[in-house]
Amino acid sequence: MTQDRYIDDLERELLLFSRHHLSLKQSRPGQHLERSAYLLLTRLETDGSMSLRELAEAFRLDISTINRQVATLLKNGLVERFADPQGGMARRLRPTEAGLDLLAADRERSREGVAMVVTDWPQERIAAFAELLTRFNIDIEALEGNPWPRDRDARD
């Protein structure tokens, strides 16, 4: 196989991967959070408190889009605003206990779904896939200059 053929296959499989991932999250009963809420809460959980501008930059979205998404989280009591402890003008956002609880519950459901898919895979194959996917994401983030915070360094 040529490199171009592998790239074609990879592009198609990534398209299908995103389709399957989104359809799984939307159709599983008991899922509490919309995709945007899940992503925002995950980022706030990982990165700590952030301003609207910081969130907009992190997600490469217009601030009005982030503002609408955050407004829904605020209305549902999943995040809270607070004054910048360092005296900045912008208010900061952090997840509430209720937000973190829903995030943990949805993450567990998501993990269960992933586990069902790979149930017959040997542990080495699961580890290799996780490592390659992490590397792929890190390389995308490096090209965009927009890294996602991680608990550990996944680069070789």
Side-chain angles (χ1 to χ4, degrees), residues 39-93:
L39 289 168
L40 286 168
L41 285 168
T42 297
R43 184 62 186 244
L44 290 169
E45 176 192 47
T46 304
D47 225 13
S49 69
M50 298 174 78
S51 69
L52 283 175
R53 181 167 312 286
E54 289 168 335
L55 283 169
E57 289 171 4
F59 286 99
R60 305 245 183 204
L61 293 171
D62 187 80
I63 198 158
S64 64
T65 301
I66 289 291
N67 194 35
R68 282 191 302 278
Q69 293 172 352
V70 166
T72 301
L73 294 175
L74 286 164
K75 179 180 148 197
N76 292 321
L78 304 179
V79 297
E80 61 187 359
R81 279 194 171 116
F82 65 98
D84 186 337
Q86 297 182 352
M89 294 291 289
R91 310 244 319 149
R92 300 196 60 83
L93 299 156

Side-chain angles (χ1 to χ4, degrees), residues 2-150:
T2 67
Q3 173 104 359
D4 286 345
R5 177 59 195 262
Y6 287 129
I7 298 297
D8 289 346
D9 290 349
L10 183 57
E11 187 278 333
R12 182 188 61 252
E13 295 306 322
L14 286 169
L15 169 76
L16 293 172
F17 177 77
S18 67
R19 178 186 154 266
H20 293 308
H21 181 72
L22 290 174
S23 66
L24 280 174
K25 285 190 80 64
Q26 292 170 351
S27 64
R28 262 197 319 275
Q31 205 71 11
H32 303 285
L33 300 169
E34 293 180 7
R35 182 176 181 272
S36 63
Y38 188 92
L39 289 168
L40 286 168
L41 285 168
T42 297
R43 184 62 186 244
L44 290 169
E45 176 192 47
T46 304
D47 225 13
S49 69
M50 298 174 78
S51 69
L52 283 175
R53 181 167 312 286
E54 289 168 335
L55 283 169
E57 289 171 4
F59 286 99
R60 305 245 183 204
L61 293 171
D62 187 80
I63 198 158
S64 64
T65 301
I66 289 291
N67 194 35
R68 282 191 302 278
Q69 293 172 352
V70 166
T72 301
L73 294 175
L74 286 164
K75 179 180 148 197
N76 292 321
L78 304 179
V79 297
E80 61 187 359
R81 279 194 171 116
F82 65 98
D84 186 337
Q86 297 182 352
M89 294 291 289
R91 310 244 319 149
R92 300 196 60 83
L93 299 156
R94 64 181 163 222
T96 62
E97 188 173 326
L100 291 174
D101 288 347
L102 287 180
L103 179 61
D106 280 7
R107 182 176 291 133
E108 184 55 32
R109 282 180 186 79
S110 183
R111 291 181 79 254
E112 289 167 359
V114 170
M116 282 192 304
V117 172
V118 300
T119 192
D120 294 331
W121 292 21
Q123 184 173 340
E124 299 79 27
R125 182 166 283 179
I126 297 169
F129 183 62
E131 183 179 318
L132 288 170
L133 191 55
T134 301
R135 175 66 186 255
F136 187 80
N137 282 328
I138 286 172
D139 288 348
I140 290 171
E141 295 160 10
L143 285 171
E144 294 180 345
N146 191 18
W148 187 272
R150 288 181 170 77

